Amino acid sequence: MEFQNLLDDIVGSIKPHLGEGNVANSIPELAAVEPNQFGISVATREGEVYSSGDSETPFSIQSISKVFALALVLACDGESIWKRVFREPSGNPFNSLVQLEHENGIPRNPFINAGALVVADRLLSVSAGETNGVLGLLRDESGNAVLQVDTGVAASESRHNHRNQALAHFLASCGNLDNPVDEVLDAYINQCAVSASCTDLALASRFLAANGARRDGAALLDPHQTKRINAMMVTCGTYDAAGEFAYRVGLPGKSGIGGGIIAVVPNNCAICVWSPRLGSSGNSIAGVAALDEFTSRTGLSIF
Ligand code: GLU
């Protein structure tokens, strides 16, 4: 089936899910979003884009940014980050403090908040003066030069980030941050507060479906590094529901509390879905349902 027809069908069939779940409120500004929106975009590795629904509406990318930050650190700095972050699913909430103390300040993986803070710290160190490398990468790969940080969301998170402050100070106490805590938190908050649409994010994620090749053909990552990021998205990308996501969708994916999810069909295409209402695991309910339908109907799954 043509992607365009399929995406239009999915927009129709997910409608019954649009009232399910609740928008995130841990960052108060995120709760202001109109909750019943849904968008989907697919970018093929050749660069064709198919979109339907609210695919051009910018939303807060939040934890989806963690994938791009990790890609940049691997691209600039190779494998040394793995001395400071593990690669196992956490089995705990994404902002848990308990596990970090048990494991002496080495976060379980780069997609929980503690791990993402360590990655943000390393990104600050290796990107000489650049404070939001994720925004630059997203602009370059999406071709959308006007992508911005939503400063209202960033300010809102800054006022309500006691838990991330606690994680960052604990990491610093263990010697696992090189930069001042406040600078790391600012960098992390600003990468999470980038606003982008489904189409922007599908295009920006295309390198994960193209063995690490950027929009202009240059290598961001080599094929092995790309495989490894995709593997980590399978095991750690969708909070504490990675098993259920693998069962239903069967693709590498990374979700954020803004309701977006990126997913990758290696060597084929990148997909982004967005709908703000989240289930109890923190993943977009309509977004997961849409990806489930996409892979079930196309057979495009890694399993
Ligand atoms: N900036 C958010 C936080 O640190 C990201 C949450 C998420 O999308 O998982 O709580």
Side-chain angles (χ1 to χ4, degrees):
M1 188 181 210
E2 292 281 330
F3 275 147
Q4 189 60 54
N5 292 338
L6 175 61
L7 301 192
D8 292 343
D9 265 16
I10 289 174
V11 168
S13 62
I14 54 82
K15 284 210 168 101
H17 295 292
L18 290 182
E20 295 172 16
N22 297 299
V23 300
N25 59 8
S26 56
I27 300 173
E29 187 79 9
L30 293 182
V33 70
E34 199 286 291
N36 293 339
Q37 303 184 79
F38 173 81
I40 182 166
S41 295
V42 174
T44 68
R45 73 171 282 177
E46 291 77 28
E48 293 150 357
V49 182
Y50 303 89
S51 297
S52 197
D54 300 308
S55 56
E56 308 309 313
T57 305
F59 61 89
S60 193
I61 70 169
Q62 292 300 320
S63 274
I64 294 173
S65 66
K66 295 170 181 174
V67 174
F68 297 97
L70 177 64
L72 283 168
V73 164
L74 290 174
C76 300
D77 195 39
E79 308 293 309
S80 65
I81 192 72
W82 302 128
K83 297 193 184 97
R84 299 173 55 187
V85 185
F86 294 129
R87 298 187 294 257
E88 291 297 337
S90 74
N92 278 300
F94 70 99
N95 54 8
S96 168
L97 294 155
V98 175
Q99 192 165 44
L100 190 60
E101 180 160 20
H102 271 302
E103 297 181 357
N104 303 315
I106 306 291
R108 267 293 172 102
N109 68 66
F111 297 154
I112 57 172
N113 283 8
L117 287 164
V118 172
V119 172
D121 176 56
R122 190 63 194 148
L123 188 55
L124 272 180
S125 299
V126 296
S127 53
E130 166 81 270
T131 53
N132 200 339
V134 169
L135 178 61
L137 180 63
L138 292 175
R139 284 179 176 166
D140 288 348
E141 295 309 298
S142 66
N144 184 352
V146 298
L147 289 182
Q148 291 292 351
V149 170
D150 182 329
T151 51
V153 170
S156 183
E157 181 163 355
S158 291
R159 286 193 298 273
H160 294 88
N161 72 340
H162 300 297
R163 193 172 272 262
N164 284 342
Q165 287 188 41
L167 287 167
H169 281 287
F170 189 77
L171 288 164
S173 79
C174 297
N176 201 3
L177 289 185
D178 295 329
N179 295 283
V181 164
D182 288 345
E183 287 176 30
V184 175
L185 284 167
D186 269 1
Y188 171 77
I189 287 169
N190 279 292
Q191 76 174 47
C192 288
V194 171
S195 277
S197 69
C198 289
T199 298
D200 295 325
L201 284 172
L203 279 166
S205 307
R206 210 162 41 124
F207 72 89
L208 294 169
N211 281 321
R214 301 185 68 146
R215 182 186 179 88
D216 63 4
L220 176 65
L221 301 173
D222 68 34
H224 297 291
Q225 291 171 314
T226 311
K227 176 190 79 176
R228 290 177 172 139
I229 292 185
N230 283 331
M232 239 167 313
M233 288 167 71
V234 170
T235 53
C236 313
T238 43
Y239 306 113
D240 231 357
E244 183 67 8
F245 189 83
Y247 178 81
R248 288 186 63 190
V249 176
L251 291 176
K254 181 75 200 84
S255 51
I257 59 169
I261 308 174
I262 57 169
V264 180
V265 185
N267 293 312
N268 190 316
C269 63
I271 311 161
C272 181
V273 291
W274 168 62
S275 194
R277 290 185 192 269
L278 311 178
S280 55
S281 59
N283 298 310
S284 167
I285 291 180
V288 174
L291 290 169
D292 180 347
E293 185 171 344
F294 180 92
T295 55
S296 299
R297 288 179 60 179
T298 58
L300 290 173
S301 155
I302 61 167
F303 298 112

